[in-house]
Amino acid sequence: MGKLDHLWTLQCIDSRERDLRRELETLGIKREIEELEARLAEKHRELLELSRRLQEVQRGIKEGEFAAGENERKQRELEKRLYSGSTSSARELSQMERKMVTLKEEAGDLEEGILALLLEQESLEKEEEGLRAILQELAAELAEKQAVYAREAGELEEELEFLPAEREKLLPGIEEELLLLYQELSASKRGQAVAAVRGDLCLGCRISLPTNIVSLIITNEHLHTCPNCGRILYYLGTK
Ligand SMILES: [Zn+2]
């Protein structure tokens, strides 16, 4: 085993971790779930608004029915007084008759108002029923997608979980100076501190390395960096 072998394994672990995290972030199903959640929230809001309006309408119907009851009671009382013969004053009688006309007009308006509210109630209830069905469908779809996500993400997370332990095991086998350089390069080269070399090609920047450098790195015993990209070179073979 060359001196750089552990470092190369470390690079592979770190790259794998980065890839796994990226994959987790970009799982297509995640975006679908977010979209579904947004639609669900919107439908919930619609339902809430609808329920509020429905309550208002129902309150309106009750109030209307109460007022109609009151109106009926007043009409009956007035009728009793009109036909009981207790009043013979023509002026009073005509006053009562005018009052009766007003009460009947009011009753007609109340009835119309109640009817309109009853119709609105019916249509709101239908709308509410439809919304509830949509919500149920969306919730089922969401649960399904969440299950798929859990499965897909679970596999990635499972692999991610054991990587830190693998990494820890490697560290004692790497010289401190080498590790420091690795960390430095990792930070400046987007996580890719070690570049594999195949034949004479640096896979970090795709340039051909001078023959003398290739001959120096073949054993992976000595630290050499790519003259072009500056990464630590690790020789993988001719092909
Ligand atoms: Zn290079």
Side-chain angles (χ1 to χ4, degrees):
M1 280 252 291
K3 193 171 116 180
L4 295 175
D5 288 326
H6 284 320
L7 198 69
W8 173 244
T9 311
L10 182 67
Q11 177 68 74
C12 291
I13 288 176
D14 286 347
S15 299
R16 181 69 188 141
E17 184 175 353
R18 203 174 57 240
D19 290 347
L20 284 170
R21 290 199 188 285
R22 196 172 305 151
E23 232 178 294
L24 259 176
E25 270 309 301
T26 54
L27 274 181
I29 193 91
K30 201 175 165 189
R31 212 176 23 254
E32 286 176 40
I33 285 175
E34 281 165 2
E35 279 168 12
L36 259 177
E37 282 172 339
R39 273 175 64 201
L40 253 171
E42 193 192 312
K43 292 287 166 200
H44 266 298
R45 273 197 300 278
E46 274 179 42
L47 183 63
L48 202 69
E49 244 169 71
L50 200 102
S51 303
R52 257 190 224 133
R53 177 65 196 143
L54 191 57
Q55 275 176 359
E56 251 175 52
V57 166
Q58 283 163 344
R59 204 164 37 239
I61 292 171
K62 257 192 202 155
E63 283 165 6
E65 279 169 349
F66 179 78
E70 280 295 286
N71 178 292
E72 221 181 293
R73 193 181 55 75
K74 283 180 192 160
Q75 281 193 50
R76 268 202 310 271
E77 262 176 31
L78 199 60
E79 234 164 55
K80 232 189 263 167
R81 279 171 58 204
L82 261 170
Y83 302 116
S84 64
S86 59
T87 308
S88 53
S89 148
R91 202 175 128 257
E92 223 173 292
L93 278 171
S94 95
Q95 244 178 14
M96 282 197 271
E97 267 158 11
R98 273 204 306 278
K99 174 85 180 147
M100 187 58 115
V101 170
T102 311
L103 278 172
K104 281 191 195 299
E105 271 171 13
E106 267 175 25
D109 289 347
L110 281 169
E111 201 179 320
E112 232 171 79
I114 292 169
L115 193 66
L117 286 175
L118 282 170
L119 285 173
E120 191 178 351
Q121 175 178 252
E122 197 183 333
S123 99
L124 284 172
E125 277 170 351
K126 248 185 223 152
E127 219 178 305
E128 192 182 36
E129 201 180 315
L131 257 180
R132 284 193 194 282
I134 290 173
L135 274 169
Q136 218 166 12
E137 263 171 48
L138 286 175
E141 209 181 319
L142 181 64
E144 219 171 275
K145 291 210 188 291
Q146 275 167 338
V148 174
Y149 176 77
R151 202 164 55 238
E152 286 181 7
E155 283 167 17
L156 297 176
E157 276 163 355
E158 214 170 284
E159 197 182 337
L160 260 176
E161 219 167 279
F162 80 87
L163 287 181
E166 295 287 303
R167 199 179 192 281
E168 278 307 303
K169 269 189 265 172
L170 278 172
L171 295 182
I174 303 171
E175 282 173 25
E176 205 179 323
E177 220 173 306
L178 210 52
L179 198 58
L180 281 174
L181 178 64
Y182 175 87
Q183 284 161 349
E184 213 173 281
L185 286 170
S186 237
S188 63
K189 303 204 175 290
R190 283 183 298 172
Q192 197 70 41
V194 184
V197 176
R198 273 202 193 281
D200 67 350
L201 198 66
C202 165
L203 297 182
C205 64
R206 323 289 304 181
I207 68 143
S208 286
L209 297 162
T211 325
N212 65 321
I213 291 190
V214 179
S215 65
L216 287 171
I217 63 168
I218 272 177
T219 57
N220 286 323
E221 277 294 350
H222 308 288
L223 169 66
H224 289 283
T225 53
C226 170
N228 185 49
C229 67
R231 293 185 173 93
I232 300 163
L233 294 170
Y234 183 79
Y235 189 71
L236 271 189
T238 49
K239 281 184 185 171

